[in-house]
Amino acid sequence: NAGVMQNPRHLVRRRGQEARLRCSPMKGHSHVYWYRQLPEEGLKFMVYLQKENIIDESGMPKERFSAEFPKEGPSILRIQQVVRGDSAAYFCASSPFSGTDTQYFGPGTRLTVL
Amino acid sequence: DQQVKQNSPSLSVQEGRISILNCDYTNSMFDYFLWYKKYPAEGPTFLISISSIKDKNEDGRFTVFLNKSAKHLSLHIVPSQPGDSAVYFCAASAVIIQGAQKLVFGQGTRLTINP
């Protein structure tokens, strides 16, 4: 039973380019969460999605960032016109239900903006 | 506004002894607490959780204690083993908007177990 999968594991972009991060939740999980970890800090919530719906995007910057979880395929976190401050580890988590269900995390994507 | 705080950035413990990691929170709406363990270049791994209706939860070598009046929780690992060396994150949540479980994380404590 495969865990949460994220790709790519490492992504290097130049300032102004676009970054696309993918997340496939665990089998049977319909809830996806994205978190960002800056160096020497804890993880910060960005967005919570169910299939075809954004439920809570209160942690996502208003500009340049977007997320989707289509009916078919992985969840995508998209960062347009990246800046150096976007360099971080981006983690995806999934759970079968919401509420008090445990979230299981993927290995993360490390984004480096040159 | 740091709602979940882990005031010890690092902790060093002798193998076989007890490791105690602490976490404080400020938001009284939090009703579910979790501990995650993280190795470098990997995602956080779930360890143990506790609901606000309990004050203790035990799973093998890991026990989590919750003191709601003090808004404090702790993770006890006994006996500590070299493989326990990692960064430990405390996380908390409050059920909001259709039951969304938005986790709020502390900054982490780096635990080192010395042989």
Side-chain angles (χ1 to χ4, degrees):
Chain A
N1 186 16
V4 178
M5 299 175 69
Q6 290 187 251
N7 68 81
R9 293 293 307 274
H10 301 274
L11 183 60
V12 179
R13 285 286 178 266
R14 297 192 180 277
R15 279 179 296 170
Q17 291 184 319
E18 178 180 288
R20 281 190 179 230
L21 288 64
R22 293 174 185 77
C23 169
S24 296
M26 285 179 71
K27 188 176 180 181
H29 288 194
S30 57
H31 297 249
V32 166
Y33 308 79
W34 285 93
Y35 293 84
R36 175 165 67 174
Q37 184 185 23
L38 296 171
E40 305 303 320
E41 293 189 12
L43 284 75
K44 297 277 197 299
F45 169 81
M46 298 182 74
V47 62
Y48 161 47
L49 311 102
Q50 296 178 22
K51 286 283 186 182
E52 300 184 280
N53 282 306
I54 296 175
I55 307 301
D56 179 2
E57 56 182 347
S58 58
M60 197 126 84
K62 295 286 184 282
E63 297 179 351
R64 303 188 298 109
F65 285 72
S66 62
E68 63 177 11
F69 189 16
K71 188 176 180 182
E72 301 291 337
S75 175
I76 307 283
L77 179 67
R78 183 183 177 204
I79 311 172
Q80 295 178 288
Q81 300 174 342
V82 295
V83 300
R84 288 225 172 101
D86 296 332
S87 295
Y90 291 82
F91 293 97
C92 166
S94 73
S95 67
F97 307 104
S98 61
T100 56
D101 274 303
T102 300
Q103 294 179 23
Y104 295 90
F105 283 81
T109 293
R110 272 140 194 90
L111 173 65
T112 302
V113 179
L114 302 177
Chain B
D1 178 23
Q2 191 69 29
Q3 298 185 67
V4 177
K5 293 182 182 180
Q6 294 176 255
N7 291 317
S8 298
S10 63
L11 176 67
S12 188
V13 174
Q14 204 72 23
E15 182 180 359
R17 298 287 183 103
I18 183 171
S19 296
I20 301 176
L21 296 98
N22 293 303
C23 177
D24 297 294
Y25 62 96
T26 57
N27 189 341
S28 57
M29 298 298 290
F30 288 146
D31 53 14
Y32 191 60
F33 305 88
L34 309 91
W35 284 93
Y36 284 87
K37 172 182 178 180
K38 187 179 181 303
Y39 293 118
E42 293 185 13
T45 301
F46 169 73
L47 271 178
I48 192 168
S49 62
I50 187 166
S51 165
S52 59
I53 62 173
K54 294 186 174 182
D55 55 18
K56 177 183 174 182
N57 189 25
E58 192 172 352
D59 184 2
R61 296 186 298 116
F62 303 93
T63 303
V64 57
F65 295 92
L66 176 62
N67 182 336
K68 282 181 290 184
S69 60
K71 294 192 177 69
H72 177 85
L73 64 155
S74 60
L75 174 68
H76 293 211
I77 306 173
V78 58
S80 300
Q81 299 173 353
D84 295 330
S85 295
V87 177
Y88 288 77
F89 289 99
C90 165
S93 73
V95 175
I96 57 166
I97 308 177
Q98 299 184 24
Q101 188 196 11
K102 177 170 73 176
L103 295 179
V104 180
F105 282 84
Q107 311 94 306
T109 296
R110 184 177 302 277
L111 175 65
T112 302
I113 305 301
N114 301 308

